[in-house]
Amino acid sequence: MRRTICYLWSLLALLYCCNTRVGVECVPKRFEVTATAYNSLEYQTNSNPNITAFGDSLRPGLKYIAVSRDLLDSGLVHNTKVRLEGFDGSFTVKDKMNKRWRKRIDIYMGNDVYKAKKWGKKKINIEYCAPVTDSID
């Protein structure tokens, strides 16, 4: 039963996360990362805390994550939809972290500092669908 549930969840994540345009392929990926939380507050980011490193505006209440730069090479690029273990729905990659971090994500928690501190730091599994970047003709 558990194997069936895991298979169905993975299939659902694959269908939800992959780009649905005709002719666009993706590679399903799943691995463990260290997850922390952050807020859009000046002392946690910079003098313009609502603007991400990609230039997007953050809005509290929406499901965003920042990723360590090494994950960009794994296909976890800007606007990728990501499923996080322990959360409902999907999150969108909207920010990137300082280059000192590796295999890490930051979950955006708006202005709720208490919620971010309560989350702390955890190891979780993430799933997403990376675009195919090269092909053999």
Side-chain angles (χ1 to χ4, degrees):
M1 176 73 171
R2 184 180 174 138
R3 177 180 271 178
T4 302
I5 291 170
C6 288
Y7 172 76
L8 291 173
W9 192 85
S10 294
L11 183 59
L12 179 62
L14 176 66
L15 292 173
Y16 186 79
C17 294
C18 286
N19 193 330
T20 57
R21 291 180 292 171
V22 175
V24 175
E25 296 179 10
C26 63
V27 178
K29 295 199 175 195
R30 179 183 183 165
F31 53 86
E32 185 180 75
V33 296
T34 300
T36 52
Y38 77 111
N39 307 106
S40 49
L41 301 171
E42 192 171 315
Y43 78 92
Q44 289 185 20
T45 57
N46 61 27
S47 62
N48 199 348
N50 290 316
I51 304 297
T52 72
F54 288 117
D56 295 319
S57 294
L58 294 175
R59 291 194 348 227
L62 297 181
K63 294 181 173 186
Y64 299 140
I65 63 172
V67 298
S68 56
R69 292 170 192 248
D70 62 317
L71 296 178
L72 296 172
D73 294 333
S74 298
L76 203 51
V77 296
H78 184 237
N79 288 328
T80 300
K81 299 291 184 191
V82 183
R83 302 272 306 176
L84 307 181
E85 177 182 37
F87 288 89
D88 292 329
S90 65
F91 287 72
T92 305
V93 175
K94 286 292 184 181
D95 205 354
K96 51 189 167 183
M97 301 170 74
N98 187 292
K99 60 185 173 186
R100 73 176 174 264
W101 302 115
R102 297 283 177 261
K103 207 168 183 187
R104 191 167 179 151
I105 66 167
D106 236 353
I107 303 167
Y108 178 62
M109 296 197 176
N111 296 324
D112 193 340
V113 175
Y114 174 77
K115 183 178 177 183
K117 285 182 177 181
K118 186 177 175 186
W119 170 262
K121 180 172 127 178
K122 301 175 185 179
K123 297 271 188 182
I124 65 169
N125 290 307
I126 64 171
E127 291 185 357
Y128 62 99
C129 199
V132 176
T133 57
D134 57 4
S135 63
I136 300 173
D137 291 326

